[in-house]
């Protein structure tokens, strides 16, 4: 059974930083792309960042480019999202996600992902 568990959310002032972590279990982590999505109050779930199974390719939403960095540590079965220069509009529940197929091309929409974590709240105060 695949499980994804996020951690690292919290309350931070605008301009601050947070690092989110997502640890996976239940299958061989290094074979799967990973992604972060977020859902703000009253909004649909939106793509934030993704990383290929090899870690060689990364993708970002325009709204976070230059501020957020996605990375993975296959030895720890963990994907990270380093968030710098946070803004009030980054406030959301952040979810990590992974597709069902190994070695799959990275998808930028939520329909490309079958496994989701429970989410971690990030609140940025202005």
């Amino acid at each position: 059974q695949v499980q994804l568990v996020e951690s690292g959310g919290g309350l931070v002032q605008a301009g601050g930083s947070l690092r989110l972590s997502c640890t996976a279990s239940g299958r061989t982590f290094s074979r799967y792309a990973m992604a972060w999505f977020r859902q703000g109050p009253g909004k649909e779930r939106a793509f934030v960042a993704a990383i290929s199974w090899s870690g060689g390719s990364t993708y970002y939403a325009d709204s976070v480019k230059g501020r957020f960095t996605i990375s993975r540590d296959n030895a720890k079965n963990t994907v990270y999202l380093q968030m710098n220069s946070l803004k009030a509009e980054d406030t959301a529940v952040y979810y990590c996600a992974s597709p069902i197929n190994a070695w799959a091309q990275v998808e930028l929409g939520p329909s490309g992902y079958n496994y989701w974590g429970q989410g971690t709240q990030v609140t940025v105060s202005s």
Side-chain angles (χ1 to χ4, degrees):
Q1 181 179 358
V2 177
Q3 288 191 317
L4 304 176
V5 179
E6 302 101 334
S7 61
L11 174 64
V12 63
Q13 289 188 331
S17 298
L18 281 175
R19 188 177 80 157
L20 306 184
S21 300
C22 171
T23 300
S25 62
R27 60 182 186 177
T28 306
F29 177 77
S30 60
R31 298 177 181 177
Y32 298 90
M34 296 294 296
W36 288 95
F37 288 79
R38 67 186 181 186
Q39 189 165 14
K43 298 181 180 180
E44 294 185 350
R45 194 166 297 190
F47 172 76
V48 176
I51 188 166
S52 62
W53 60 269
S54 68
S57 298
T58 55
Y59 308 81
Y60 297 95
D62 288 343
S63 58
V64 307
K65 278 181 183 176
R67 300 188 298 122
F68 290 11
T69 302
I70 189 170
S71 61
R72 65 189 297 156
D73 184 339
N74 288 341
K76 295 183 178 180
N77 291 351
T78 300
V79 61
Y80 303 98
L81 185 68
Q82 177 66 45
M83 306 186 294
N84 298 331
S85 302
L86 282 161
K87 306 175 182 179
E89 51 263 45
D90 294 319
T91 294
V93 178
Y94 284 71
Y95 300 89
C96 69
S98 191
I100 195 168
N101 293 321
W103 301 296
Q105 183 176 354
V106 170
E107 299 286 342
L108 304 188
S111 62
Y113 296 87
N114 305 86
Y115 299 106
W116 296 83
Q118 82 287 353
T120 186
Q121 176 71 48
V122 171
T123 302
V124 184
S125 63
S126 56

